Each structure stands twice: as structure tokens, then as C-alpha cells.
């Protein structure tokens, strides 16, 4: 029987739950003679044939709660950018009057939802911990009632570190099927959520195609679409345009939305002396609006109403850092931290409305200033999940910013950041291709896992252990199948074709750990009695008789 | 005039020194109307036509010191592996009787060598700091008197973090010109030193070809060649075989040598319960010898004589960590730290002999255990430079270990490690190709520079600053030319061809940083007097009149 990996499910029969895993069956037996298996977290969703969308895993969970109803609202989506609204046939849900169908509300009421049970099984933790963390706002389960296709996942510092992949078209390139393909590439490499940052034509149809094919939560930056609705001029934006856009996206099923509500008019001048000013696109749009009107950010001023909308659909809010540093010289400055403190204030508003909320973070930050970011966020945002873009630890390597930022991402996740937004090699240079999506995802899965291990997450290091055991035993197939990217590991190995080998037993176990120390220390003390010399000589002969190899069967062939 | 980069030199006319730099002339003028230039550290050496070797920059410096003489020793190199000793024509130097021509000896005597002046100019630091750090043993300048081709460089935690690239053939593939090509690729991407880890045929000729063509210090692991001389059987090794090998390599010009003298017989049983046992090749060889004879490591027992040899040529010692962890499960265990403490003892012996010495470190270490490694090394090795292999922060990503380890490398360098041994994507899978050499070098230059910036190294962040200014101004050519890898940055950019743009001036400077805060806070306090409203309306109109763009000339086009 061969070593192999395949999709499998963890079953909870009591609650009719099936949680997907990548099951690796090893070429190794346990003490009872059974094949050793390792279950790895899986984000790939059900098999997709490319056209039909996914089944609605959560539809019955949502309807059973009886706190939602069909929305009677007429969507204006589809009339604005000339694209077809593929969601028209879908029944849209909205909260019943005075109901708040959010995971936060349920958790506070002590109601354990199926979503909570699903993530508990997925993370191998007790469901009471999930309940507690969600209730406290230290974790969120992004799960819009209009995106029943999601396989629930949780974002919080006591859980596995998550990775988001950005996709989306721009005004110069728009191809819906290409974006769905990027979505599948991203989840194939382990993306836990995907943000659709489309700004071009067919923005609505693209997002709907992504939503209906996504088993992971989908995030957006609604101000991008609002800007299109305002004819492309930031100064023509208004709360009303934004609100309508947000409701349409909520009814389409967007699970979380980046809201740049913390960028206040008074913070904009703090960016004048910066090396790279305002680099967030959403931040620039809002700053332009603020300056054009010399009025306070309308997202800030209408944040209570915005939360009421989010609560009706269980849209999670991701408080955008419009003033994040765009170069290490600008890191941790007054502009950035002033906005962060305002985001902390908004976290409390959102929670008051029963809305799940996380906070976005930088950006470009040198290693020595990373800790301050996460510590301050935890303090001023009361433990709300921190969702960071890297940070990049140096500005000098365009073309390799997946690496400059994986360093910072691993460090900030180790410090407590709950989700990492990936950065691809194309950052600062162009829009990522599918190849770049892969490179970014792999770098970020590494960063997230390195942080999980460093945080001592239950189970994380078992993956490393299984792979290292396979490595030491020269079980190459197991090593490949346990790899983050089995295909690449196998290809690189096959380039140089080392001969297969086996190394099953261990050297030196006949002595035990104490023999050498004792014998040597006796010799060193000058107690060179005959017994010690004889014992050492005997051990020497035993070793030579066994083949003079420190590992039985084969010598090691490592470098250096 | 176009933005460009080229090789240039920093000149010290007083001492006739020419220090190479990569000079980038920007498409930007300073306040006096001159083009802004940025000088970057350069390791590429003089132009090489592939055959002739390099000129002997240091030959006169060495001879002027009058403490060396021609060696009369007959090398046995070339007689053992059938290869031709290409060094035969070279005059070999050795210390005159009772002289110690080492940079450490000079520094202790207060003698400022040309090597010290060269590195001071290269690092933009005062030469007194170089003298002090070398004298204290906290930095080394690997510079064998028989490798006059080296452009001196310094390894120490108060200087720029350095990167080593490993090259070398194996028994299955041996091609001298291919190894010289890998050397050039490595220094082309910024390798500060190169280790020749050849174990196959033509080991001597390969090393000599590398030495004669290398402007950077060359390191070796002499026990690899000693093992060949012993017919490939570790148990047939002896101190005498090792000593002869070491002297031959010293006379050929090897600048530093990895010596696995800290792996004591009594530490071997500590590895029994490990997940991955002993993974160092040199460590395995010495462990096998120790067990075959049940005697103490002959490198440990003869370490004083070994130091006497090193002192005669100014060979720096790199104390090998034969018991470094090969998986994160084995990190920071008794075996590893017992050996580290012994290395600390050997540091003192080496220094007593006037020998420059650094200490090698892991390996595989989870992020939360990295700090303990560097702190313990600094303590028990009395600040001797720490030279680490990564460490890899997780075991799960074969094919991407340049990334798993760049994270750990950046962190340990930030903590004080002075040199990083690169890891390529082929680690654990095969021997690196030239492509892998590039991938490993770029990842490690990023890690080293991120650490330099985090440590506040004078000048390091100026590189980031220059690049970020170019980025904010859309000076694409400058951005490419300032990149760590200009070619790749340009290629990735050209894949999506964004239109060139320019953004010279800054928004909002008419208000100044205080206006908005003051006006807004007055409004918030209810002091909505007419003057404030008028002032805000005026500012709004000014902004709109100027084009409603937060940056003059063009709106930003960044994502998110």
C-alpha cells in the first residue's frame, strides 16, 4: 500500500457535521499495526466543475434559527455598471425586525451555533472556547447569512493563524472566469478567506461569481464599488451611495467588508511629512472626500447606522487602516497610531451593535517596531482580531515582497495577529498572475504555520513532527505528501534523483545516554582504571561490529 | 541623463585604498542641482574573464608586514585524489617563527592594518571601532595570507549582517567550471563569503579554482577532504590526516574552516531520543569516529595544536555545531546546548592563540526559541560572532526552505547573529542549481538587510528611504536600479505595463498639520462659530480648485 493524500472529512454525527481535511496516509505503522494518518486543515471546498457554484452547506442552519426573512428590497446592483446581476434568482435574506442573526449575538446569548461546532472540530478545540472567544469579540466567524456556501472558519489569536488572498480585476483587465480561477488557485494553496478587490468593469458579476463558487468567506472594500457608482470622483461620494452599495453587497453575501472609518479629517495633515504619504487606496479615496468637503469622514459619522446594516446580515467589519505606512520610514507614526486609536473606539461601537469586527494593520514596518503594533492594537482595540498586510520588513526588494513581508507576517502573528493578508511578488509592480498568487500563498502559509508552532497551538507542531520523522527515515513519499506543496517538493527532489535509502534503527542505543559521560569523566579525572578502558574498548568493538555507522542500514547524506 | 547603476569605488588616497560599491545615479536632483547618488555595498569583485583568476589586492599589504615567509613545506595535495594541484606555481606563505600574522594579533597590538581600513570604509564606520571589535574578538576579518585576492570584509554584530553561500560538488556531480560559475552567481547576488563544501572528485582542483577566482573569503569543512584521504571511512580518520589536510588547505588560501571540535563523545548519547538525531555531515563523521574508537573527539583533544596552525596563516576558525537540531522538535535540547558550551570554551583557547574565531549555530528552531540561541551564544562564547544556518522556523515546506529559514535568519540576525548561511529551495531535496543559488541569496540578503534596518545600522535604512522616495514619485527607473534584484523588478513590472506617471508635489501642505485638528475639535466641542465654518469651506474650495487630488499631477493607483 502506497503513501498517499486525499480529501477526507471529520464527522460529528450528533450534529450532522462534516469538516474537510487533507488526510495523509503514511508508509508507517503505529504500535497496533495500523497505518499512521495525519489530518491537515483543508480549505479547498467541494469538487468544483467550474460552472454550477457550490451547494449551500449552511442554508438549513440559518433557516432553523428562524431569525431571518426574505428581503423585499430591490437591488440596484446590475443597473449601474452594465453587468448582469447573477444573484437575481437567489433568495436574499435579512434579519427579522429586531433580530440580530450574528455569531456574536448568539455567543453572547450562550447559543452554540453549528458554525461554532464546525470551527471547533476544524481547529481541534473545545466548542466552549469558541463560544467564549466569539462572545468576548476576540474572535470572529465571518459568515454572512447570504453566503450559505461557506465552510465556517474562525479568526482569533487563540486559533490557527489565517491567511487571506486578494484577487480582483482592475479597470485595464476584467475576466470573470479568470478571477474564479484565481479564487480556486488561492484556496487550493490554503487561503482561509479571499478578498475581491475588483475595481473594473463587471464588478458586481465578478463578485457574484466568486461568492457562488467560494467555500471560504469573501471580503470586499465597498468604497471601490461606491466610487464607481459616484462616477469615479471621490468628492461625489456620499453616505447614501455608500450605504446602498453596502446593503447590495451584504445581500449578495459578502462576509466581511473593509471600512475606512477611522481615517479622520484631522489625521490627514499628519501624513504631510511622510515619505510615502497615504498608500491605501481606500484611504486615499476617503482622504480626498474629506479634503474636498473639509468635513469629517462620512463613514465615521454614520458608523452607528453602518453597524445596524452589518448586524442584519452578519457582515463582519474589517476596520481599514487607511493611514498604514507605505514605507518603513513611516512606520508607527502619529498618523498610523492616531487612526488605530480611533479604530479601537469603533470596535466598541460595532460590538455594541452585536457586529463581529476585526482591525486591519500594516503595511511596512521594520522588525524592531513590529511588536509595538500588535501590543497597541490588542490594548486599544480590546483584543479584537488583528488582520495585517505583512508587514514588509524592508522596502528594497520589489519582486520579492512575498519574502520581505513573510518575515514580518510571521513575527506579528507570533505576537498575536489573527489573520495575515498575503503579499505577492508583484506587490508594487503590477497585478498578480495565478503564479504570483501561488508564490504569495505559500510564503504566507509558511509564516502562519511558523507562528502557530511558536505560539504552541495544540497540534500545529505535530505536522512538523510527522514530516521530520519521515525525513529522518528517508520515507520520501511521506515527506512529499506531508509537504505544504507536495508537487513542488517532489519535482525539486526528482531534479537530482538521489538513490532511495532506508534508515530504520538508531545508533548508540546499546550504551544509553549515561555511559559515555560517566566513562569519559572518569578518564578526565585521571581515574583511568582498567575497568573503564575495557568498557570503552568493548563499546568501540560493538560499534565496529555493527558496521561502524551511526545510523543502521545507511550512512546519512546531508551537507555540512 | 538616465537613471543608471554601475560599479564604482570609494577612494582613500592616504592609504591607496579602493573600496568597490554599486553606485546608483538617480533621476533626481539635490538642492544644489546635482544628481542624487546612492552607494550600495558590492561583493562582485573585479571583472572576471573566466580564466585568469584575480589580481592580488592584498599581496603587498601582507608582505609589507614582514612577518611571513615562503613556506618550504611540500604539499601532499594533488597526490591523493588524482587531481592536479593548480597552486603549485603559487608562492605559499607561512608565518615567520614566533610571528602570528592574524588580524586579531595586530588589533590587540593596536596595529591598524589595511584590511581594517578597507572594511571601515566599506562599512562607513570609524576604523577605531573596527580595531576595537576585532581586538575584543567580537568581530573577525577572514583573510588568509595565502588568499591575497580577497577584498576584506568583517563579520561581527556591530557591522552589516553578512551572508554566506554554500557551493561545491558531490561524488555524483563534479564540474570545476560549474562551481566557479556558482561562485560568480553567488557573489553577483551579494554573497559575502562562499563555502566550498565539495566532497567529490577533484576536490583540491575545484577549491583552488574557486580560491583564485574569489574576491570573497572562502570557507571549507576540512574533515570532508580528510575523509577522502582516509579512504572514505570515518573510523580511519586520525588527527595526523586531519592536520595535514588542514595545513594544505591553509597554504592554498582557505580563509575560514569549520571545525567540529565541540562534539564530544559524551554528548552523542544525548541525541538518542531526538527526532532527527545528528544531521550535520561533519558532526556525523566525528560522531562515527568517536563511537568507533570510544575515544574523545580528536579535534577537541588536539585543539591547541590546531590553533597554532591556524595562527600561522590567519585562518579563521568557525566552530561547527555538529549537534545542531535537524527538526524543530530537537531545537534547544541538551545535545545542542552542551556542544555550544564547549564551543564557548574553545573560543577562549583560539583567542589565546591569537586566532580569529566565530561560532556556528542552528539549524531548525521555532520562532519562540530563537532568542535563547543567540543570547546563550553571546553569553557562553563571550560575544564571538554567531554564524547561523537559517534557522528554519518550520519543517513542513521542503522546496521553500529559503523562506522558512529567512524568517528565522532575520530574527536571529536582529538578535545579534553576525553572518547567515543561506538555505536554498533545494535544502533537504538535492544539490542547488545556479537558479537555486539565486533564490537562496536573494532571500538571505533580504533577511540580512531587514536585520540591519531593525538594528539601526548606520546607513542601512537610507537604502529603503531612497527606494521608497522613488516609489512615491513614480520614478520607476530609480526604483528598479535601487532594487536588490533590478532585473527581476523590471521584468515583473513590465509584465503588466502600467503607464508611466509622475507625482512631484504633495497635497494638503496649504493647511499644515494643525489646521484640521483645531477646526474639527472646535466643531466637536460645539463651538461652531461662523469663523470655523468659513475657514473649513475655504479650505474645501481651495482643494477642489487644485483638482481634488490628494497628490498633485496624478491620483495614486495602489491596491486596497
Amino acid at each position: 500500500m502506497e503513501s498517499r493524500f486525499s480529501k477526507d472529512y471529520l464527522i460529528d454525527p450528533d450534529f450532522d457535521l462534516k469538516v474537510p481535511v487533507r488526510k495523509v496516509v503514511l508508509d508507517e505503522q503505529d504500535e497496533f499495526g495500523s497505518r499512521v494518518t495525519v489530518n491537515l486543515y483543508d480549505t479547498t471546498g467541494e469538487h468544483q466543475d467550474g460552472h454550477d457554484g457550490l451547494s449551500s452547506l449552511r442554508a438549513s442552519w440559518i433557516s432553523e434559527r428562524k431569525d431571518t426573512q426574505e428581503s423585499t428590497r430591490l437591488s440596484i446592483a446590475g443597473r449601474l455598471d452594465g453587468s448582469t446581476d447573477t444573484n437575481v434568482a437567489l433568495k436574499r435574506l435579512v434579519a427579522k425586525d429586531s433580530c440580530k442573526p450574528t455569531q456574536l449575538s448568539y455567543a453572547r446569548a450562550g447559543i452554540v451555533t453549528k458554525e461554532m461546532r464546525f470551527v471547533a472540530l476544524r481547529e481541534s478545540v473545545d466548542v466552549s472556547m469558541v463560544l467564549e472567544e466569539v462572545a468576548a469579540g476576540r474572535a470572529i466567524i465571518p459568515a454572512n447569512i447570504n453566503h450559505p456556501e461557506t465552510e465556517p472558519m474562525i479568526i482569533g489569536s487563540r486559533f490557527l493563524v489565517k491567511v487571506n488572498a486578494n484577487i480582483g480585476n482592475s479597470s485595464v483587465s476584467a475576466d470573470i472566469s479568470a478571477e474564479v480561477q484565481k479564487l480556486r488557485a488561492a484556496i487550493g494553496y490554503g487561503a482561509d478567506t479571499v478578498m475581491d478587490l475588483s475595481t473594473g468593469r463587471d464588478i458586481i458579476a465578478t463578485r457574484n461569481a466568486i461568492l457562488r463558487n467560494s467555500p471560504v468567506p469573501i471580503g470586499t472594500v465597498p468604497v471601490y464599488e461606491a466610487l464607481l457608482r459616484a462616477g469615479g470622483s471621490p468628492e461625489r461620494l456620499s453616505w447614501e451611495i455608500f450605504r446602498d452599495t453596502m446593503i447590495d453587497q451584504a445581500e449578495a453575501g459578502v462576509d466581511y467588508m473593509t471600512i475606512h472609518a477611522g481615517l479622520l479629517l484631522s489625521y490627514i495633515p499628519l501624513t504631510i511629512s511622510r515619505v510615502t504619504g497615504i498608500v491605501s487606496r481606500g484611504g486615499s479615496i476617503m482622504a480626498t472626500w474629506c479634503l474636498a468637503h473639509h468635513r469629517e469622514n462620512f463613514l465615521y459619522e454614520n458608523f452607528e447606522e453602518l453597524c445596524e446594516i452589518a448586524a442584519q446580515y452578519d457582515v463582519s467589519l474589517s476596520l481599514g487602516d487607511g493611514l498604514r505606512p507605505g514605507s518603513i520610514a513611516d512606520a508607527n507614526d502619529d498618523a498610523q497610531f492616531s487612526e488605530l486609536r480611533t479604530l479601537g473606539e469603533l470596535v466598541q461601537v460595532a460590538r455594541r451593535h452585536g457586529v463581529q469586527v476585526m482591525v486591519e494593520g500594516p503595511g511596512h514596518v521594520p522588525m524592531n517596531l513590529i511588536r509595538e503594533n500588535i501590543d497597541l492594537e490588542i490594548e486599544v482595540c480590546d483584543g479584537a482580531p488583528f488582520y495585517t498586510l505583512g508587514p514588509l520588513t524592508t522596502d528594497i526588494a520589489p519582486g520579492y515582497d512575498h519574502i520581505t513581508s513573510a518575515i514580518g507576517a510571521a513575527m506579528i502573528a507570533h505576537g498575536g495577529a489573527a489573520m495575515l493578508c498575503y503579499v505577492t511578488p508583484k506587490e508594487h509592480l503590477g497585478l498578480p498572475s495565478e503564479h504570483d498568487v501561488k508564490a504569495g500563498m505559500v510564503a504566507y502559509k509558511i509564516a502562519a504555520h511558523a507562528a502557530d508552532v511558536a505560539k504552541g497551538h495544540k497540534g500545529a507542531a505535530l505536522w512538523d513532527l510527522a514530516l521530520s520523522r519521515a525525513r529522518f527515515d528517508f520515507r520520501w513519499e511521506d515527506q512529499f505528501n506531508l509537504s505544504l506543496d507536495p508537487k513542488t517538493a517532489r519535482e525539486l527532489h526528482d531534479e537530482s534523483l538521489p538513490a532511495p535509502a532506508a534508515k530504520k534503527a538508531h545508533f548508540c542505543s546499546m550504551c544509553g545516554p549515561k555511559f559515555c559521560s560517566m566513562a569519559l569523566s572518569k578518564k578526565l579525572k585521571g581515574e583511568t582504571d582498567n575497568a573503564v578502558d575495557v568498557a570503552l574498548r568493548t563499546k568501540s568493538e560493538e560499534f565496529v561490529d555493527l558496521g561502524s555507522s551511526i545510523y543502521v542500514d545507511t550512512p546519512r547524506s546531508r551537507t555540512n
Side-chain angles (χ1 to χ4, degrees), chain A:
Chain A
M1 200 173 151
E2 277 205 356
S3 166
R4 60 185 167 76
F5 68 94
S6 57
K7 182 128 183 169
D8 202 355
Y9 296 89
L10 305 177
I11 308 292
D12 179 344
D14 295 342
F15 296 93
D16 192 25
L17 293 176
K18 274 176 61 184
V19 172
V21 291
R22 175 169 133 202
K23 180 180 185 175
V24 188
V25 180
L26 302 183
D27 189 17
E28 189 188 21
Q29 294 185 341
D30 63 18
E31 53 194 313
F32 309 106
S34 300
R35 299 287 289 269
V36 175
T37 63
V38 178
N39 289 323
L40 304 176
Y41 197 101
D42 180 83
T43 57
T44 56
E46 61 185 84
H47 175 72
Q48 298 168 333
D49 63 7
H51 294 289
D52 293 333
L54 303 175
S55 61
S56 293
L57 172 67
R58 295 170 53 236
S60 62
W61 308 355
I62 295 163
S63 65
E64 281 162 9
R65 291 192 284 251
K66 301 186 193 308
D67 53 3
T68 56
Q69 58 189 348
E70 200 163 336
S71 171
T72 55
R73 183 172 174 278
L74 275 179
S75 163
I76 59 165
R79 278 188 274 140
L80 288 144
D81 65 348
S83 65
T84 312
D85 184 349
T86 54
N87 263 351
V88 166
L90 201 77
K91 189 178 77 169
R92 291 197 190 83
L93 297 179
V94 64
K96 284 184 182 165
D97 288 349
S98 75
C99 288
K100 285 185 178 171
T102 70
Q103 297 293 321
L104 175 54
S105 298
Y106 302 139
R108 281 183 181 157
I111 299 167
V112 179
T113 62
K114 286 231 178 147
E115 287 84 350
M116 294 175 203
R117 292 193 192 282
F118 190 99
V119 299
L121 193 53
R122 200 169 196 182
E123 302 255 349
S124 306
V125 296
D126 199 276
V127 74
S128 65
M129 204 250 273
V130 173
L131 187 79
E132 185 185 319
E133 292 296 298
V134 173
R138 288 189 300 265
I140 66 171
I141 300 175
N144 185 324
I145 54 172
N146 288 307
H147 189 204
E149 299 91 343
T150 44
E151 293 171 342
M153 52 78 70
I154 191 163
I155 303 169
S157 66
R158 292 182 68 187
F159 303 92
L160 289 166
V161 175
K162 303 304 187 298
V163 176
N164 171 72
N166 289 340
I167 61 173
N169 65 31
S170 73
S171 56
V172 291
S173 77
D175 176 346
I176 294 175
S177 65
E179 295 309 317
V180 172
Q181 192 48 42
K182 279 189 209 164
L183 162 74
R184 290 181 184 155
I187 61 177
Y189 286 106
D192 294 288
T193 74
V194 167
M195 289 193 81
D196 172 20
L197 301 183
S198 292
T199 58
R201 283 190 312 106
D202 292 335
I203 189 170
I204 294 167
T206 302
R207 186 173 55 243
N208 288 340
I210 289 170
L211 278 163
R212 300 288 76 82
N213 286 286
S214 178
V216 303
I218 296 297
T220 61
V221 185
V223 79
Y224 294 176
E225 184 183 342
L227 182 64
L228 281 180
R229 296 188 183 200
S233 302
E235 63 272 28
R236 288 170 57 194
L237 277 171
S238 66
W239 164 242
E240 291 70 25
I241 292 175
F242 184 91
R243 183 190 57 201
D244 289 347
T245 307
M246 181 180 173
I247 298 173
D248 283 345
Q249 294 198 2
E251 297 210 335
V254 170
D255 300 285
Y256 66 93
M257 298 183 187
T258 294
I259 306 291
H260 296 93
L263 189 159
L264 303 189
L265 175 57
S266 57
Y267 300 159
I268 300 171
L270 299 176
T271 68
I272 292 179
S273 57
R274 278 183 158 185
V275 172
T276 46
I278 298 176
V279 296
S280 153
R281 185 182 166 81
S284 299
I285 293 167
M286 293 314 301
T288 304
W289 186 90
C290 289
L291 292 175
H293 299 274
H294 263 74
R295 275 176 51 199
E296 193 49 276
N297 184 332
F298 63 75
L299 295 172
Y300 179 79
E301 298 218 311
N302 295 281
F303 195 71
E304 303 262 357
E305 188 180 344
L306 192 153
C307 289
E308 286 169 16
I309 296 166
Q312 290 183 294
Y313 303 93
D314 201 5
V315 167
S316 297
L317 298 182
S318 186
L319 301 178
D321 55 336
L323 299 179
R324 68 166 177 266
S327 55
I328 60 167
D330 294 343
N332 297 20
D333 70 355
D334 276 355
Q336 184 197 338
F337 282 167
S338 295
E339 182 185 41
L340 181 59
R341 287 193 182 86
T342 300
L343 299 185
E345 175 194 317
L346 298 176
V347 163
Q348 299 303 337
V349 177
R351 286 180 181 170
R352 208 161 58 230
H353 285 271
V355 172
Q356 301 192 90
V357 61
M358 60 181 169
V359 175
E360 296 186 9
H364 292 240
V365 184
M367 294 170 75
N368 56 315
L369 299 183
I370 287 176
R371 186 87 216 178
E372 188 181 5
N373 276 272
I374 177 71
D375 287 351
L376 185 62
E377 192 274 345
I378 291 170
E379 179 195 332
V380 303
C381 299
D382 193 23
F386 202 25
Y387 167 32
T388 63
L389 179 67
L392 285 71
T393 53
T394 169
D395 308 338
I396 64 161
Y400 300 91
D401 280 330
H402 58 312
I403 299 178
T404 65
S405 66
I407 295 168
M411 290 178 69
I412 206 161
H414 181 199
M419 185 156 79
L420 306 169
C421 182
Y422 85 167
V423 171
T424 79
K426 278 282 178 57
E427 184 77 11
H428 302 116
L429 297 170
L431 279 179
S433 64
E434 199 182 315
H435 174 83
D436 299 315
V437 167
K438 173 182 170 178
M441 275 309 307
V442 171
Y444 272 69
K445 291 302 284 188
I446 288 169
H449 183 74
D452 287 335
V453 169
K455 287 163 72 180
H457 183 281
K458 179 174 168 269
L462 294 179
W463 186 0
D464 301 68
L465 185 64
L467 194 142
S468 285
R469 283 193 205 279
R471 179 172 285 154
F472 194 63
D473 289 345
F474 291 108
R475 284 183 274 115
W476 285 105
E477 290 298 320
D478 287 353
Q479 199 180 149
F480 300 147
N481 292 336
L482 285 164
S483 290
L484 183 59
D485 179 2
K487 188 163 167 285
T488 297
R490 187 184 303 272
E491 282 170 4
L492 291 188
H493 170 266
D494 290 353
E495 275 181 28
S496 40
L497 280 167
K503 173 175 43 49
K504 299 293 183 191
H506 215 291
F507 74 99
C508 205
S509 49
M510 65 268 198
C511 291
K514 288 191 183 155
F515 173 80
C516 283
S517 313
M518 285 174 54
L520 266 291
S521 56
K522 281 200 177 188
K523 279 179 78 84
L524 288 174
K525 283 180 194 153
E527 301 175 28
T528 49
D529 62 34
N530 199 38
V532 173
D533 281 344
V534 169
L536 285 167
R537 198 160 57 243
T538 307
K539 291 302 176 187
S540 163
E541 286 162 4
E542 280 175 23
F543 183 77
V544 174
D545 285 349
L546 282 166
S548 289
S549 175
I550 58 168
Y551 297 100
V552 179
D553 288 359
T554 173
R556 309 302 311 284
S557 58
R558 297 268 187 277
T559 51
N560 197 10

